[in-house]
Amino acid sequence: MNECYLGIDIGSISTKGVVIDKNKKVIASCYIWTEGSPTSAVKRVLMHLRKQLDASYVLKGIGTTGSARKLIGLMLEATVVKNEITAHAVGTLATHPDVKTILEIGGQDSKIIFLQNGIIVDYSMNTLCAAGTGAFLSSQAKRLGVEIEDFGDIALRSENPVKIAARCTVFAESDLIHKAQAGYLKEDIIAGLCKSIVLNYLNNVAKGKKIEGPIVFQGGVSKNKGVVKYFEELLKQEVLVDPDGHLMGAKGVAILASETANKKEYSWDIKDVSFETKGYECTGCSNHCELLKIIKNGKVIDTWGSRCGKF
Amino acid sequence: MGDYNVPIYYLLTHILHCKVQKPPKISDRTIELGNKYSPSFVCMPFKYTLGTLLESLEKGANVLLQMGGGCRYGYYYALQKEILKEEGYTFDFINLVTAGKTDVKKIIHDFKQIDTKFSILKSGYHLFITMKMIRYMDKIDIMIRKNIGFEKNKGEHIRLKKQMLSSFEKTKGYFSLFFTYLQYRKKFKNIRIQKGKCLKVGVIGELYTIMEPFANYDLEMMLSQFKIEVTRFTNATYLLFQKKKRVKKYLKRVKKYSKNRLGADALDNVGRMVYLGEKKYDGVIHIKSSFCTPEIGVMPILRRVANDYEIPLLFFSFDANTSKVGMETRLEAFYDMIEMRKKNE
C-alpha cells in the first residue's frame, strides 16, 4: 500500500490537480479549464487523476487552494484549505529551496512573493484591475486573431516592439487599436503587449520593491516566452520558468496536506457526490445579505454570506 | 458610525424638544442609494453618509445633522445638501464642523431656530454626559479588542457589549452612567479567556473606514478569529480630545520621515507606524477608503518605515463594492506570513 496526497488548485480560468507520494514526488497531474463551474471541473480533474494512478495508491489527504478553495474544500472534506500565496510558496520551495522571489501571473490576478531562508517575508497582490493578467492577454489575442499559445513565439520574432500604455487595460487597448490601424507589424504589436504586461506588473504589483534572485516565474502567463524575455530584460537577471510552473499551487497544498497531523482515508468515489449551491437573499433584517446555501447529497450543510451570524 | 449612535442619540433626545429619529443601520440598500447619487470618484464616507441621509429623509426626517472635517470631508455637507435638494427633499441642514472649525455660536443659533425651547445650560450638562459615555465606550472597546480572540465561550464579548449599549441608552444622569460603566467593566474583566503568547497587529488608516465595521467588512472580527490581538488608535475619544495634543509629539517622532502635517490623520498614522515598529509588533494593516487623498499620500512613507523596522505591512482600500473574498485571501496569507516569521525568530 502506498500513501498519496491530492492537491487541487481551482483558479478562475483553470483547475489544476496534483497527486504526490510520500516523498513529495508528483505522480499524477491534470490541467483543465474551469469554465465557470468549479464543482464540475473538480469532478473531471478527479476522473483524469484516477486514470493515471495504479490501484495500490491510497488517498490519505486532500488540500485545496485557489479562489474556489472553500467551496471545494467543503465538497471534498479537505484536510487543508489554504490561500494561494502560501500554497505557491510551499510548492516552489520544494523544487527551488533557495528561491528569493516568486513572480506569478494568473488568469485574474497576479502576485509577487518574497522569501528569505525559506519563509515568506513579504507579498503583494494586484488590486481592482485586470491589467497585467492572463485574461487581458487572451482577450487581445482574440482581437488580433492569434492563438494565445502562439503569442510568445510571435513576440520573440519582433525586433522593434511598439510602445503600449502599461498602466491600464482601457488605455492599452485603445493604444493597440491605434497602432494596428496605423500599420505597425503584428509581431511588433504583440511584443509590445508582452512588454506592457511586464511593465504593468513591475509598476503595480512589485511597486518598486527590491527583486533579488533566484527568481521563479509561474502561473499561466509564464508559458508565454515573450513575457519571460521582457522580464529578464527589465530585471537584468535570469528568470527561471518551470515546466510544471502552473501546477505549483496544487503541489504546495498537497505537500501541506501530507504534513498535517490530521489524516484520514478517502475513497476516489468522492467525485460522484451530489453537490449543489443555491443563492438567495435573506430578508430577515435590513442587511439583506446575499446568502449561498450549500447542499450535499440533498442536505444543507452550510450557508455562507451572512453578516449577523444567524446561519 | 460604529456604535456611536448611542451617545449621539442620547444627546439629541435630551437637549431637543422634538422627535429624534434613529438613523437606520447601514445596509446594502444604504450603499446602493449612496452610490446612485454620488460622484463615483468620491471617497466612501461620502457615499455611506449620503445613503444614510436619504434613508432618514425617506423615513420622514426634516432636520439633518452632519459633522466631519480634517480633509475634504469638511466640505461634503455642502455638496450633499445640493444633491438632496435636487432630489426634491425639503429639510434643514446643520453642520457641526464647518471647513474644519467648530463655530459654537452658529450651532447654538441653528439649534435655537429648530427648537425654541433649546437651553444652553441643560445642553452643556448633557454634552458632558455624552462625552463621558463616549470615553467609557472606547475604554471598554480597547479591552474587547485585546481579548475577544481568546474568549472561551464564543460570542460572550459581543453579547455583553450589546447589553452594555442598551443600558447606556437608558442613562438617567452622570452617576447612573458611571456606575453602569463600573459594573460592566467588572463583567468584562470576568470573562474567561485563554491567552498565551499571541500575534499582535496594529490597525491604522483613515478614520471612517476604521471606525465603521460595515465599511471595513468586520476586519477586526476577522483578525480575532485568527487569534490575533488588535491595537487600534483611532476612536472618538482620540479624535475629540487627544489628537490636538499629540501632533507635536508625532512630529518629533517622525522627524526622519516627514516634516509636515500631511493633512487629516496622515501624520498620526506615520507616528503610529513608528511606534508599532519600535514596539516590535508582528504586523501592521493600513486601511482606507478608495480615493482618500491624505492616506494615499502617506503610503510610500509607511512603506519606508516598514522597511526600516522590518515589519510586515498590508494595505487595504475599500470602495462600496469591494469583494470580501479577495480580502480574506490577503488576510489569510498575511496571517500565515506573520506566523511563520514569529516561529522562525
Side-chain angles (χ1 to χ4, degrees):
Chain A
M1 189 190 90
N2 288 318
E3 284 178 15
C4 68
Y5 302 92
L6 168 68
I8 299 187
D9 178 354
I10 315 101
S12 56
I13 305 278
S14 61
T15 300
K16 286 79 73 175
V18 160
V19 179
I20 59 166
D21 63 8
K22 269 194 304 226
N23 308 318
K24 298 178 185 175
K25 222 188 106 208
V26 177
I27 48 176
S29 69
C30 170
Y31 178 91
I32 59 165
W33 301 123
T34 308
E35 289 168 346
S37 167
T39 49
S40 67
V42 166
K43 285 180 184 176
R44 275 184 289 142
V45 164
L46 289 174
M47 225 163 61
H48 285 298
L49 289 175
R50 197 184 180 184
K51 273 184 205 155
Q52 295 174 31
L53 289 175
D54 60 59
S56 68
Y57 283 103
V58 178
L59 197 52
K60 280 283 202 173
I62 296 182
T64 59
T65 183
S67 39
R69 61 182 180 283
K70 264 171 106 184
L71 182 74
I72 303 303
L74 208 62
M75 172 176 150
L76 301 180
E77 293 167 21
T79 38
V80 175
V81 178
K82 265 285 166 216
N83 59 81
E84 302 88 295
I85 295 160
T86 313
H88 269 278
V90 171
T92 314
L93 282 169
T95 25
H96 305 278
D98 56 344
V99 62
K100 282 234 170 102
T101 311
I102 301 173
L103 317 171
E104 209 260 0
I105 305 186
Q108 283 296 332
D109 61 13
S110 42
K111 39 192 166 293
I112 186 163
I113 308 171
F114 299 94
L115 301 114
Q116 253 169 35
N117 307 322
I119 61 164
I120 307 175
V121 289
D122 200 1
Y123 75 89
S124 70
M125 237 167 138
N126 70 334
T127 44
L128 293 172
C129 180
T133 65
F136 174 59
L137 271 188
S138 62
S139 74
Q140 295 316 315
K142 216 174 261 166
R143 170 186 289 283
L144 294 166
V146 178
E147 287 295 318
I148 185 73
E149 287 83 1
D150 308 330
F151 224 71
D153 293 318
I154 299 174
L156 288 186
R157 285 210 297 268
S158 157
E159 277 163 13
N160 189 23
V162 300
K163 282 201 180 86
I164 288 177
R167 275 276 168 201
C168 167
T169 47
V170 181
F171 292 138
E173 190 164 19
S174 50
D175 244 21
L176 182 138
I177 296 168
H178 169 75
K179 292 270 153 70
Q181 301 303 77
Y184 284 88
L185 286 179
K186 207 181 237 181
E187 58 220 46
D188 289 347
I189 294 172
I190 289 175
L193 258 180
C194 292
K195 197 170 180 176
S196 88
I197 290 278
V198 175
L199 282 172
N200 180 284
Y201 181 89
L202 294 177
N203 281 337
N204 285 345
V205 186
K207 270 187 190 145
K209 285 179 183 165
K210 216 172 155 198
I211 297 176
E212 285 175 87
I215 304 168
V216 177
F217 180 27
Q218 298 173 348
V221 178
S222 68
K223 304 278 167 209
N224 184 323
K225 287 173 201 146
V227 175
V228 178
K229 180 187 150 194
Y230 290 114
F231 261 126
E232 289 188 328
E233 204 177 290
L234 286 164
L235 293 174
K236 299 186 184 72
Q237 280 181 70
E238 195 198 356
V239 172
L240 301 167
V241 179
D242 254 297
D244 294 343
H246 56 292
L247 298 173
M248 279 307 167
K251 190 180 167 188
V253 82
I255 292 172
L256 287 171
S258 76
E259 281 169 355
T260 51
N262 128 41
K263 280 177 190 167
K264 54 182 177 186
E265 218 164 279
Y266 291 91
S267 123
W268 282 100
D269 298 328
I270 33 179
K271 69 176 193 324
D272 300 325
V273 73
S274 117
F275 197 80
E276 272 180 88
T277 52
K278 217 179 199 173
Y280 69 102
E281 199 183 277
C282 174
T283 49
C285 71
S286 61
N287 276 348
H288 289 276
C289 299
E290 241 182 4
L291 297 179
L292 190 72
K293 241 192 228 166
I294 297 172
I295 305 157
K296 190 173 176 182
N297 291 333
K299 242 176 37 195
V300 179
I301 51 169
D302 208 347
T303 308
W304 292 350
S306 120
R307 270 182 182 253
C308 66
K310 185 173 164 191
F311 296 100
Chain B
M1 198 193 295
D3 298 312
Y4 293 120
N5 61 339
V6 174
I8 300 295
Y9 184 74
Y10 168 84
L11 178 67
L12 295 178
T13 44
H14 283 80
I15 63 169
L16 294 177
H17 301 85
C18 43
K19 197 178 156 228
V20 179
Q21 187 182 296
K22 270 190 198 174
K25 247 186 137 185
I26 295 182
S27 68
D28 288 343
R29 187 165 175 273
T30 319
I31 299 163
E32 228 170 81
L33 272 175
N35 251 348
K36 195 171 156 192
Y37 296 108
S38 303
S40 59
F41 282 97
V42 79
C43 70
M44 200 177 52
F46 184 93
K47 297 174 185 170
Y48 277 38
T49 46
L50 184 66
T52 309
L53 293 178
L54 274 162
E55 279 189 322
S56 311
L57 285 168
E58 274 175 9
K59 281 195 164 176
N62 51 16
V63 179
L64 302 175
L65 270 179
Q66 167 78 295
M67 64 187 294
C71 52
R72 57 180 178 180
Y73 192 73
Y75 303 95
Y76 279 179
Y77 73 96
L79 190 54
Q80 286 178 335
K81 199 164 137 188
E82 289 308 312
I83 292 175
L84 293 173
K85 270 190 183 152
E86 260 177 36
E87 288 311 306
Y89 292 105
T90 44
F91 53 87
D92 287 315
F93 208 106
I94 299 179
N95 192 50
L96 301 182
V97 186
T98 309
K101 285 204 180 90
T102 311
D103 186 348
V104 182
K105 261 190 196 160
K106 188 173 176 296
I107 292 169
I108 292 173
H109 173 81
D110 283 347
F111 272 127
K112 276 198 169 153
Q113 285 218 319
I114 54 169
D115 181 10
T116 44
K117 283 185 268 177
F118 180 79
S119 137
I120 297 175
L121 205 68
K122 206 174 133 204
S123 306
Y125 173 64
H126 288 295
L127 189 67
F128 166 73
I129 292 182
T130 310
M131 293 302 153
K132 280 286 175 202
M133 199 189 287
I134 289 176
R135 244 189 189 177
Y136 294 152
M137 275 171 62
D138 286 340
K139 276 188 180 164
I140 294 282
D141 270 343
I142 290 171
M143 251 164 82
I144 293 178
R145 248 170 256 132
K146 272 205 173 128
N147 294 329
I148 189 165
F150 310 93
E151 58 189 7
K152 268 196 165 167
N153 302 325
K154 266 202 158 174
E156 217 165 331
H157 277 95
I158 301 278
R159 227 174 299 137
L160 198 58
K161 195 182 166 191
K162 262 189 195 156
Q163 275 177 27
M164 183 185 81
L165 289 177
S166 64
S167 19
F168 272 8
E169 259 174 37
K170 291 173 210 131
T171 301
K172 294 253 161 52
Y174 176 63
F175 287 104
S176 98
L177 175 76
F178 184 61
F179 285 121
T180 332
Y181 163 65
L182 286 184
Q183 200 186 341
Y184 275 98
R185 194 176 68 177
K186 207 172 163 195
K187 276 188 190 168
F188 273 110
K189 274 193 181 150
N190 285 339
I191 291 180
R192 298 211 307 172
I193 53 168
Q194 210 173 15
K195 192 171 171 184
K197 249 189 169 180
C198 63
L199 293 168
K200 279 176 161 181
V201 164
V203 178
I204 58 175
E206 182 255 325
L207 64 101
Y208 188 92
T209 321
I210 283 191
M211 294 194 334
E212 173 57 57
F214 201 91
N216 62 36
Y217 293 81
D218 283 320
L219 176 77
E220 282 175 21
M221 276 304 284
M222 275 157 92
L223 286 173
S224 78
Q225 275 155 14
F226 287 123
K227 296 205 182 298
I228 292 176
E229 188 185 308
V230 178
T231 305
R232 169 183 117 180
F233 302 89
T234 311
N235 53 26
T237 309
Y238 176 80
L239 294 171
L240 290 169
F241 309 112
Q242 298 165 345
K243 189 175 157 68
K244 268 200 183 131
K245 287 183 240 159
R246 297 263 171 103
V247 170
K248 265 195 184 154
K249 202 171 117 198
Y250 278 137
L251 268 175
K252 212 170 157 194
R253 195 190 279 165
V254 305
K255 219 166 42 192
K256 202 174 139 196
Y257 302 99
S258 165
K259 284 178 191 149
N260 303 314
R261 291 191 49 180
L262 305 167
D265 278 0
L267 170 74
D268 314 46
N269 284 327
V270 183
R272 291 160 182 164
M273 184 80 200
V274 174
Y275 171 82
L276 294 170
E278 277 169 0
K279 290 271 170 201
K280 297 219 179 322
Y281 267 61
D282 298 299
V284 179
I285 300 178
H286 177 265
I287 60 179
K288 66 168 196 305
S289 71
S290 306
F291 319 115
C292 172
T293 319
E295 297 300 331
I296 290 171
V298 89
M299 278 163 74
I301 307 178
L302 291 181
R303 225 174 269 138
R304 218 183 113 198
V305 182
N307 270 344
D308 289 356
Y309 287 94
E310 288 184 355
I311 176 168
L313 174 63
L314 180 67
F315 291 108
F316 278 121
S317 184
F318 296 97
D319 198 3
N321 301 314
T322 311
S323 119
K324 197 175 175 176
V325 181
M327 185 184 156
E328 277 171 0
T329 305
R330 287 168 180 82
L331 260 189
E332 249 178 56
F334 189 71
Y335 169 72
D336 282 349
M337 178 171 86
I338 57 178
E339 208 203 4
M340 263 195 228
R341 282 172 74 120
K342 185 123 188 163
K343 266 188 198 156
N344 269 47
E345 256 170 24

